[in-house]
Amino acid sequence: MVHRRPTSPATQRRHDISACLDRAYDRGGLTLLVDGLAGMGKTTILRELARQAFEADRWPVTYVTADEVERAEPYAFIGRLLASGLPTDGDLVPDATTQTVPVAQACLRAILAPHGAPGRVIVVDDAQWVDPESVRVLRYVLPRVNRRVLVAIGVRTPHEPGGFGDYLHGLTSGSHHDLHYRAEPLTAPQIQALAVEQFGVGIAARNAEQLRLSTGGSFLAIDSIFGRLTRAEISQLHLAWNIPIRRVGAVDNPLLHRHERMSAPARATAELVCLAGHEISRATLARAARRLGEGVHVEEAIGAGVLSESGFGATIIPAHDLIGHAIAQTVDHERSRAVSRVLADVTDGYRSVMHALRGAEEWTAQLRGQVTDYVRRAVARASYANASRVLRAALDLATDAAVRHDLLVDLALVHLRNNSGYEVLDLLPELEDLPRSLLREFIVVMIGAHRTDQPFPHERTAAMLVPSEDPDELTIQAFLSFVLVIMTMRTADPSPVPGLIAAARHFFSLVPATPEALSDERLAWMVAPREYLVLLDAYELVQLQLGGDLRALASRLPEVERARRAMPEGSLRVDVTVALAGNEVALGRLGRARALAEEATDLSNRVSKAWAAGTVRIILADCMIRQGDLAAATDVLAVIVDLSYDVLDVETRPVAAAMAAIVAAIRGEETAHLLAQARVIDDIAWEGYGRDLPVLAGCEAARALGDPAEILALTSPDRVGGIVNTQHGFLTYRAHALLDLGDHVAAAELIGELERCRAAGTWLEYWGTLAWLRARLAEHHDAGAARAMYEDAVATRDYPLPAALTYIDYGRLLAGQGDASGARRAWDSARAILERLGAGAYLPRVRAALESLADGDRIARSRLVADLTRREHEIAGHLAQGRSNQEIAVLLVVSEATVRFHVSNVLRKLHLSSRAQVARVLHGPGDPA
């Protein structure tokens, strides 16, 4: 199953509207109902429909909006409609005494009046405000016009029973001809897609969920919030962890309309369920309501669409989580606390603790005990999100400085343990103000590492690394020495890394071997000296790779691999595995690299976040793409897009976009937006895995479009010369581009350089073999030698896309030499590979080549067959059907000798050596006999 990220709702709506117009034009009209809650973008949809219809210029367009102020005026809307450009007799001025039918007939005549077009588009917005008299007219008119008219009507939900919206819903929902388009609240993935469309970069899933809850999923509200971002903020979104959310004034939440119409007892029941924030059994709901002195009025709330049943009626939940959130926000503080106190008593675990905190009026020792006990148990189960929510709720309640100190440290350590320090960046100023200690300095440095607007404090960190005799402090120092290695690797100058690795080794040789030696159990997760030493070994291998010492890398790799296999499952083993996978890629062992990346990905799904949680999937997707497994790569990339906003290795964001662009380019899909996201890699100073992938993505997109000049621009030395961590795949594209442009001298020089690089291991044949390049170069001066080289080139099919393109070039050479059958075999091989890949960018080329070959075959066959006499043509027809000489002699009433004579002439004139080949000449390969 290929997982694709949702299309932007704006783009999807434009597409849906276009499809609706096409359907209306094809079918001669229809009625379209666009409904949804206020703020969901119904007016935007209708305006887009009117715009597209106007630009199509096929049917005239009328746009009219009903006015709430005129709802009490009889026929006010019909007056607006007739005055909007429809041709009228001019003598109809309806009032309260006018009968409906005459007005309806006049309206019908105006709509259907001849105007030189086969139909008409009428767009009606805010139809919930249409006056009752006009509604009666429209109910008469609509069934009589939709074969010549597209009527698009926007109505706010919920529909009044028996009202115009209710009528339109029944009219369109029960019709195979008409359409009903519901403008639903946006989902978090849709909000992320909208951000990509507007800004060229994504936002974190948690930010999208925050936007969804704060706006009720309103398209207009979210669009407004996006519109308030400054240019500076937008320029930093690809590095930021959170999107600024600014709203102006209170918003009338359309999700509350149903709630507000219920009786007071039903609203109280709905509030209780929504404040719970989770499903609640009927029995628990009854106990809570009884303790509050209230009744339970679930059925009315269910009937109003505010609550719903689950578990076959055993539990009650909000009808939609957005409705639950919206209702909970309306409850006054006192009632909310009272309900929370009751819920704390009738629930347990996480729910009970959260309700207790929300219901408390002040911080108490009892609460502190509950919080401490729960957080300890949650962290032991790796339930970091729940532990964080509990501590956040406790901070909202606590005011005492000492209490807040402890809670802040607890919260920070929970997130540092989970490698999610970005989630407490908002608390960094308060953490900075805590009493000075090594633990505070450690927390501040670690959380501050996620700030993109300030460099990592290398000197401040180094100043803390004077070995202590206290086991707790020594553990912190060892961990900081390890972090200093990582953060120095993530700079433009990683040259100090080897010395820092040696220093970190020294610290880990001093730390306790087990957590029992620590006095602060919250630091126990940092005690794993053996595992950190293996990870430091892996980082040393990365330095060998970056330094180009691949021989030493290959020599040391087995030793570190043995140590890796002995490590317990955990995030450190993930990090070691990721580093080794990257090393295997550098050595050209792609199968081994993929296996390691798959193992690390699987493990990372079961343990807390690794430092390289994003990079592991980047390596996996990269291996899959190079091996031609595009569908699997697409699935992995869908995960990376979300994950990349929650990991320290933020460089995976543009790299993931680059890989998505490569896949899209191969498939023949649009790449501009993905390439724009990939290009922000230039804003990141350090080199992580795949620093060259944005360049490769641009090259693949240019090759798919047949633009070799663009490839030369993308691979110019000033553009790629500074990339260190690379296998120089972009030079493969450059060599082909030079050949495409006829610069054979420069191509020869570059191919010679690639031969030397391959020997050194700094250029690998992932994107095309040397044999392919040599064959293309030889075509210029020695076609015979080129043919032999192509035979060598097509023998290597490790990387499917280059193999297919090699076959295409080989087929072109063979066709030019007159070897049509050889060309057909080469192009058939290319087509089979490209079809398996889904390479829509290249399939048309090979299909066109095969078609042109077939055309040539048909012409040549026609010429040969034209040389046959009438009797020879008759004989050839029998041969094509597989008949023997004796059978032909009987059918034609001639001797077998005569048949043999004619058969000999047929084979000679058709240039054939066997009678079995006659059918192919007469009918063509694959044509029916």
Side-chain angles (χ1 to χ4, degrees):
M1 177 76 178
V2 176
H3 299 288
R4 298 182 186 274
R5 292 192 61 77
T7 303
S8 159
T11 299
Q12 185 63 53
R13 289 177 175 187
R14 289 191 292 270
H15 176 271
D16 293 342
I17 290 164
S18 178
C20 172
L21 282 170
D22 288 343
R23 178 168 171 168
Y25 294 144
D26 291 342
R27 298 192 177 191
L30 56 83
T31 298
L32 167 67
L33 169 63
V34 179
D35 65 359
L37 297 167
M40 297 304 157
K42 298 182 296 299
T43 297
T44 304
I45 292 170
L46 293 172
R47 287 177 178 170
E48 176 63 20
L49 185 147
R51 183 193 67 79
Q52 289 192 24
F54 180 80
E55 291 182 354
D57 197 24
R58 295 177 63 177
W59 294 358
V61 181
T62 299
Y63 193 106
V64 60
T65 303
D67 192 331
E68 182 178 8
V69 175
E70 297 176 349
R71 195 177 191 191
E73 299 180 21
Y75 300 111
F77 175 76
I78 294 300
R80 276 177 171 264
L81 179 61
L82 294 175
S84 64
L86 295 179
T88 64
D89 298 334
D91 56 354
L92 178 65
V93 184
D95 58 26
T97 64
T98 309
Q99 295 297 312
T100 299
V101 174
V103 178
Q105 291 174 338
C107 189
L108 197 58
R109 286 194 299 274
I111 292 172
L112 299 178
H115 47 73
R120 183 187 295 277
V121 176
I122 296 177
V123 182
V124 178
D125 197 6
D126 281 339
Q128 70 273 4
W129 306 131
V130 174
D131 59 274
E133 291 79 8
S134 295
V135 166
R136 288 197 295 272
V137 170
L138 293 173
R139 293 181 68 157
Y140 178 95
V141 168
L142 287 176
R144 293 168 172 80
V145 301
N146 67 359
R147 293 300 174 184
R148 288 191 57 189
V149 181
L150 165 58
V151 183
I153 306 177
V155 182
R156 181 182 298 176
T157 56
H159 302 306
E160 294 181 7
F164 189 37
D166 199 24
Y167 162 75
L168 291 168
H169 182 268
L171 177 70
T172 55
S173 298
S175 168
H176 295 295
H177 181 78
D178 300 316
L179 295 174
H180 176 200
Y181 192 101
R182 175 64 61 86
E184 298 281 6
L186 300 187
T187 64
Q190 286 177 320
I191 294 170
Q192 288 180 285
L194 188 63
V196 169
E197 182 177 68
Q198 292 201 16
F199 307 131
V201 295
I203 61 174
R206 65 182 184 283
N207 292 160
E209 179 65 10
Q210 184 181 3
L211 282 165
R212 188 181 76 94
L213 291 174
S214 66
T215 63
S218 165
F219 180 92
L220 299 182
I222 292 166
D223 188 60
S224 175
I225 290 172
F226 283 171
R228 292 189 177 98
L229 294 183
T230 67
R231 289 185 179 180
E233 289 166 340
I234 293 172
S235 70
Q236 291 298 306
L237 277 181
H238 61 288
L239 297 173
W241 302 98
N242 296 300
I243 182 172
I245 298 177
R246 303 185 187 91
R247 301 193 62 174
V248 178
V251 175
D252 176 25
N253 194 325
L255 297 170
L256 297 174
H257 292 170
R258 298 179 187 180
H259 175 66
E260 292 165 350
R261 294 180 182 182
M262 295 191 307
S263 67
R267 288 201 302 272
T269 298
E271 288 170 357
L272 201 164
V273 173
C274 295
L275 284 167
H278 51 78
E279 64 178 8
I280 185 169
S281 70
R282 286 181 178 268
T284 301
L285 177 60
R287 287 200 303 273
R290 188 165 52 249
R291 295 186 59 170
L292 289 165
E294 300 171 358
V296 176
H297 300 269
V298 170
E299 305 312 322
E300 181 184 346
I302 292 175
V306 172
L307 300 181
S308 65
E309 296 175 306
S310 65
F312 300 100
T315 57
I316 307 299
I317 58 173
H320 193 289
D321 64 327
L322 288 173
I323 292 176
H325 180 79
I327 292 174
Q329 297 301 305
T330 66
V331 182
D332 68 74
H333 189 58
E334 288 304 317
R335 172 164 170 74
S336 178
R337 285 201 305 190
V339 170
S340 294
R341 286 193 294 269
V342 168
L343 289 171
D345 291 339
V346 298
T347 57
D348 55 22
Y350 167 73
R351 294 173 177 175
S352 178
V353 175
M354 287 297 291
H355 288 313
L357 288 166
R358 291 168 182 162
E361 297 182 6
E362 61 181 12
W363 183 256
T364 64
Q366 181 182 0
L367 276 175
R368 178 54 172 163
Q370 283 182 268
V371 168
T372 301
D373 180 61
Y374 175 77
V375 169
R376 182 185 296 111
R377 288 185 285 112
V379 169
R381 297 192 306 269
S383 297
Y384 302 112
N386 281 355
S388 175
R389 293 187 193 104
V390 166
L391 289 167
R392 284 275 190 178
L395 277 171
D396 289 341
L397 184 63
T399 56
D400 180 78
V403 171
R404 289 190 65 81
H405 175 179
D406 292 342
L407 291 172
L408 283 166
V409 171
D410 287 347
L411 179 60
L413 289 174
V414 164
H415 282 287
L416 294 182
R417 178 170 184 167
N418 191 40
N419 277 347
S420 55
Y422 52 84
E423 292 197 30
V424 285
L425 275 170
D426 60 310
L427 299 175
L428 191 55
E430 192 171 358
L431 287 164
E432 287 269 23
D433 288 339
L434 295 180
R436 186 177 182 84
S437 68
L438 182 63
L439 179 58
R440 186 212 69 170
E441 283 290 281
F442 163 69
I443 289 172
V444 168
V445 165
M446 290 298 299
I447 293 173
H450 294 86
R451 293 190 62 171
T452 59
D453 57 339
Q454 292 186 5
F456 182 77
H458 293 270
E459 294 183 4
R460 180 177 182 176
T461 305
M464 291 185 272
L465 299 182
V466 177
S468 170
E469 296 182 359
D470 178 81
D472 288 22
E473 291 190 343
L474 192 56
T475 297
I476 292 172
Q477 289 173 324
F479 191 85
L480 276 172
S481 69
F482 160 73
V483 172
L484 195 56
V485 170
I486 291 179
M487 299 310 294
T488 305
M489 290 170 67
R490 297 164 61 83
T491 64
D493 178 20
S495 59
V497 168
L500 294 173
I501 289 177
R505 285 184 186 283
H506 175 68
F507 271 104
F508 282 109
S509 70
L510 302 176
V511 299
T514 62
E516 287 73 21
L518 302 182
S519 59
D520 189 341
E521 65 177 14
R522 297 173 302 178
L523 306 179
W525 59 277
M526 287 188 278
V527 178
R530 293 185 182 87
E531 286 75 24
Y532 281 108
L533 288 171
V534 177
L535 183 53
L536 290 170
D537 287 341
Y539 287 162
E540 277 192 335
L541 297 186
V542 173
Q543 303 312 302
L544 292 175
Q545 172 195 330
L546 294 177
D549 194 350
L550 300 184
R551 183 170 299 177
L553 171 62
S555 174
R556 286 197 54 193
L557 198 55
E559 175 189 354
V560 180
E561 169 59 17
R562 286 191 293 272
R564 182 195 72 85
R565 288 197 295 267
M567 293 175 70
E569 288 195 347
S571 61
L572 292 178
R573 178 165 175 158
V574 173
D575 286 321
V576 172
T577 307
V578 172
L580 297 191
N583 289 330
E584 294 286 6
V585 172
L587 292 172
R589 302 192 293 226
L590 212 58
R592 177 59 183 156
R594 177 169 176 173
L596 286 170
E598 286 174 337
E599 178 186 334
T601 299
D602 177 66
L603 182 55
S604 70
N605 291 329
R606 295 184 278 112
V607 300
S608 59
K609 291 180 184 176
W611 291 92
T615 301
V616 58
R617 290 171 175 84
I618 290 288
I619 295 175
L620 178 57
D622 190 22
C623 292
M624 289 172 169
I625 290 171
R626 300 185 197 206
Q627 293 177 326
D629 199 349
L630 302 187
T634 300
D635 284 349
V636 174
L637 288 170
V639 176
I640 294 173
V641 171
D642 289 333
L643 186 67
S644 65
Y645 290 90
D646 290 326
V647 293
L648 186 64
D649 42 354
V650 295
E651 68 273 12
T652 59
R653 301 177 188 179
V655 173
M659 287 194 293
I662 291 173
V663 173
I666 294 170
R667 288 175 170 162
E669 299 168 351
E670 176 58 45
T671 61
H673 64 295
L674 293 167
L675 292 174
Q677 294 176 61
R679 280 192 289 270
V680 300
I681 193 74
D682 295 334
D683 293 341
I684 298 176
W686 64 89
E687 283 199 20
Y689 180 89
R691 174 62 181 80
D692 56 347
L693 282 167
V695 178
L696 287 163
C699 289
E700 181 57 46
R703 180 171 69 181
L705 294 172
D707 188 354
E710 174 66 8
I711 293 174
L712 293 186
L714 289 168
T715 60
S716 62
D718 60 328
R719 176 70 189 273
V720 300
I723 303 177
V724 175
N725 187 15
T726 179
Q727 282 81 47
H728 296 95
F730 44 77
L731 294 181
T732 309
Y733 284 94
R734 185 174 181 84
H736 281 289
L738 289 168
L739 290 168
D740 290 337
L741 293 170
D743 192 346
H744 298 93
V745 173
E749 290 177 357
L750 181 53
I751 292 170
E753 179 184 341
L754 294 181
E755 290 174 340
R756 292 187 291 275
C757 289
R758 188 179 71 167
T762 57
W763 176 79
L764 299 174
E765 296 184 318
Y766 297 139
W767 304 101
T769 64
L770 271 174
W772 178 22
L773 284 167
R774 292 190 191 112
R776 287 202 63 194
L777 182 63
E779 286 184 63
H780 176 59
H781 55 80
D782 189 346
R787 183 164 183 162
M789 291 178 182
Y790 270 119
E791 285 293 335
D792 181 37
V794 296
T796 302
R797 298 179 64 167
D798 294 337
Y799 307 108
L801 180 62
L805 299 182
T806 305
Y807 271 119
I808 290 176
D809 286 342
Y810 187 25
R812 177 179 42 75
L813 174 72
L814 294 173
Q817 294 178 344
D819 185 355
S821 60
R824 183 181 297 106
R825 287 193 299 272
W827 286 336
D828 279 338
S829 296
R831 179 175 59 183
I833 297 171
L834 294 173
E835 286 176 345
R836 188 174 72 250
L837 291 176
Y842 299 104
L843 270 169
R845 303 181 191 180
V846 72
R847 286 171 177 162
L850 284 166
E851 184 62 29
S852 67
L853 199 60
D855 290 342
D857 281 348
R858 281 191 289 271
I859 293 170
R861 284 189 280 112
S862 297
R863 288 172 178 167
L864 292 174
V865 172
D867 287 339
L868 301 178
T869 65
R870 185 183 64 81
R871 175 62 82 178
E872 288 168 351
H873 197 285
E874 193 174 15
I875 294 285
H878 288 297
L879 290 174
Q881 295 181 47
R883 293 190 175 112
S884 67
N885 288 356
Q886 183 180 14
E887 290 171 327
I888 297 172
V890 170
L891 289 170
L892 298 182
V893 194
V894 297
S895 68
E896 283 191 53
T898 299
V899 171
R900 284 196 297 272
F901 171 75
H902 287 305
V903 167
S904 176
N905 284 341
V906 166
L907 295 180
R908 177 178 55 80
K909 289 183 178 182
L910 296 183
H911 300 229
L912 301 176
S913 59
S914 165
R915 61 197 292 144
Q917 298 171 317
V918 173
R920 183 180 63 80
V921 174
L922 287 187
H923 305 296
D927 288 352

